[in-house]
Amino acid sequence: MSVAHADDADDYSRPAGETYHAEKALPSGDFYTGQWRDNLPHGHGKYLWTDGCMYVGDWSRGKTMGKGRFSWPSGATYEGDFKNGYMDGKGTYIDSSGDLYRGSWVMNLRHGQGTKSYVNGDCFDGEWRRGLQDGHGRYQWKNENHYIGQWKNGLMNGNGTMIWSNGNRYDGSWEDGAPKGNGTFRWSDGSFYVGVWSKDPKEQNGTYYPSTSSGNFDWQPQQVFYADLSECVVSTCQRIPVLPSQKMPVWYGSEQSSSGNRTKNSERPRRRSVDGRVSNGEMDLRNNGSGYLQLDDNPESNRSSLGPLRIQPAKKQGQTISKGHKNYELMLNLQLGIRHSVGRPAPATSLDLKASAFDPKEKLWTKFPSEGSKYTPPHQSCEFKWKDYCPVVFRTLRKLFSVDAADYMLSICGNDALRELSSPGKSGSFFYLTNDDRYMIKTMKKAETKVLIRMLPAYYNHVRACENTLVTKFFGLHCVKLTGTAQKKVRFVIMGNLFCTGHSIHRRFDLKGSSHGRLTTKPESEIDPNTTLKDLDLNFAFRLQKNWFQEFCRQVDRDCEFLEQERIMDYSLLVGLHFREAAFRDSATPTSGARTPTDSGNPRISRAEMDRFLLDASKLASIKLGINMSARVERTVRRSDCENQLVGEPTGEFYDVILYFGVIDILQDYDISKKLEHAYKSMQYDPTSISAVDPKQYSRRFRDFIFRVFVEDT
């Protein structure tokens, strides 16, 4: 939330940096009164919008920053901390119905510890995440029933206890707001029921233990779902109609005088733009004819000492595998096998898997003759065999990751062909992408397959315990065996694609924390948004908001401890940057041929409009650790006298970005070949600069590096 510059001749007669009281009536009809400095609100002031919204509080260089009170015409109010126009920090929100929330906020969302008191008498005290109850918390209904335990996405989920006002209680597992899994129901008279709970009566199984011989033997467990919990409905939070960050005053300060010259008002302070140039408060949409997108709102502006940051339009990766492609039949085999595996009827599974499900011998072979069989359809490819590794585990992982079976099959096995990335990875593996970019398929060496199966129990427990884990999501492990003389085996794993997003990824980095060989060999002219840059190419520091930074540090520590225990090394953090300003120009450019009226004939877009477009409430709700995270990056530069300097010096140039990141390549065991590589390279290079090191040392070095390039935004 920022205020554009008001046109007041008195502003130009005052010395720069002087703070004074001003009253400003803006052309939009809005009104500001309060402290003013350098033609911007700075200090304490009040801003009143024409629709009745009002902010009273602290300002810093035209933005709401510090303590303040925002009120809506509906009667809703927020009083507390603001940061860059957002409700951010500690604050109290009372909506128009009378519901009250007091606690932590991050970018307009309830996030952290907080208490919600509902006007109907209910109350929740606990942890929030992205606007919903998530973590540990206590919910008390007006009838004195209360739940204490874990929450997820606004519902009771995990281990928890429900205590009714009549003294009855349930202790055990919950899922989506109802008992699911192992649990015990106790009556106030001492009798209890122990068993496996489910809304589905067929899955319900347990034993009733009466306190006396005349216990209630006719009691049915389903009564808990349909009677006891009927009055225990969690109240929802009323949606905030207009977010404070969306109430950004628009000031058209570029009007020309009758003589055609710009008024004094156009000479306002300038800020740096995404390409490193200095710009005025608005952006021009321009294309310099070379295919680069640049923010060039003033052709006569001075270039940054570092030169412009050029952003090319992102192109879709990979080559479509059509008929005649060398891997066309392999793709058909893969799609037939996936359709068979996922569509095969299977009993409902609990998240509590038996040890036998992880047995390396747990494999399922299926033969696919060309003419079809009792279990397989006829097909146009050659005859092949299909193997599913640990099918129950991967089916449960897909359930754990909320992957819908029908959508999964449609992505991989639909009418659209897969795309093959242009070149194999360093390991020699080939990568394929589904047409919707949701899934990536990687061919596997036998050794990698063994590593994944070996670590599968620990991996399953880790991703189940850590909802925000950054490690790669695995959805299936399979093998195609061609029949005939070749007897060729192709093993592959299906993973989530980290960069499946509607946002263009303008820069991508693969970061390990080592320096040897960690420089991209491509000339600068050939580097595009699909080029994966490395440690010595990194020229940014990533700044996360406090709550996200703390969560990031905790999760990196947990993920690295898991990989260290599994003797895994050579993994990396893949980071994708989406520069908000560059992307907004693409979407905002008129396609109808109509132009936005400006002096130069090029459309201008205010920062206010850009934020409204990119940070509306619906998009904020989709933010998770490593996915769709709004952040700032600071450009860095390495000293010329230090060739292998991993982290450059800060320059003070900041860009607003959306970040995507995750830990990838987690299947490299520290085996004998890696030990030999370590011994050989240690004789030629600094042992601390090479990738092949002991998992414990690798984990420590990786974390040290990541926590230097990811910092808290202050």
Side-chain angles (χ1 to χ4, degrees), residues 4-31:
H5 313 266
D7 189 10
D8 189 342
D10 186 53
D11 293 334
Y12 299 95
S13 63
R14 294 180 180 272
E18 180 184 348
T19 301
Y20 62 98
H21 183 84
E23 293 186 355
K24 303 287 180 180
L26 304 183
S28 62
D30 298 347
F31 180 78

Side-chain angles (χ1 to χ4, degrees), residues 373-385:
S373 69
K374 182 179 178 181
Y375 303 103
T376 63
H379 57 88
Q380 298 177 349
S381 180
C382 60
E383 183 174 312
F384 67 95
K385 283 186 174 181

Side-chain angles (χ1 to χ4, degrees), residues 438-618:
R438 290 180 67 183
Y439 303 105
M440 181 174 283
I441 300 167
K442 175 190 175 187
T443 61
M444 302 266 284
K445 292 181 178 179
K446 187 175 182 179
E448 289 180 307
T449 305
K450 286 185 175 180
V451 170
L452 178 52
I453 293 174
R454 185 206 73 203
M455 65 185 285
L456 198 53
Y459 172 83
Y460 179 81
N461 290 332
H462 179 73
V463 298
R464 187 180 176 189
C466 302
E467 180 199 355
N468 287 327
T469 181
L470 298 174
V471 299
T472 305
K473 289 181 170 64
F474 295 120
F475 301 114
L477 182 62
H478 312 281
C479 176
V480 169
K481 181 180 180 182
L482 303 179
T483 57
T485 54
Q487 293 286 306
K488 181 183 177 183
K489 283 185 179 180
V490 181
R491 301 172 182 86
F492 56 90
V493 65
I494 302 176
M495 308 175 288
N497 178 20
L498 183 63
F499 296 151
C500 175
T501 167
H503 294 125
S504 300
I505 301 298
H506 298 126
R507 287 283 187 276
R508 57 188 73 202
F509 294 94
D510 181 277
L511 307 175
K512 292 179 183 285
S514 57
S515 58
H516 177 65
R518 301 298 295 163
L519 183 68
T520 301
T521 55
K522 279 187 177 183
E524 187 175 349
S525 59
E526 294 181 17
I527 293 176
D528 60 28
N530 290 329
T531 302
T532 302
L533 304 171
K534 300 179 183 178
D535 299 67
L536 292 179
D537 302 303
L538 182 64
N539 57 344
F540 295 107
F542 308 101
R543 296 183 170 273
L544 305 181
Q545 292 210 357
K546 182 178 179 180
N547 286 31
W548 283 120
F549 177 70
Q550 292 173 344
E551 192 166 335
F552 171 76
C553 292
R554 284 194 297 268
Q555 194 56 57
V556 168
D557 282 337
R558 295 178 74 176
D559 288 340
C560 285
E561 286 168 8
F562 156 68
L563 295 170
E564 183 183 324
Q565 289 169 4
E566 293 302 306
R567 302 289 294 165
I568 301 296
M569 44 78 67
D570 216 22
Y571 46 88
S572 52
L573 187 75
L574 184 63
V575 183
L577 283 75
H578 167 86
F579 288 96
R580 292 173 51 196
E581 294 180 358
F584 187 73
R585 288 169 315 189
D586 296 339
S587 59
T589 305
T591 56
S592 62
R595 283 184 167 181
T596 303
T598 61
D599 300 329
S600 62
N602 292 313
R604 289 181 181 271
I605 290 149
S606 71
R607 181 58 175 272
E609 291 168 315
M610 184 180 70
D611 276 355
R612 281 198 292 271
F613 175 79
L614 289 164
L615 285 176
D616 60 48
S618 61

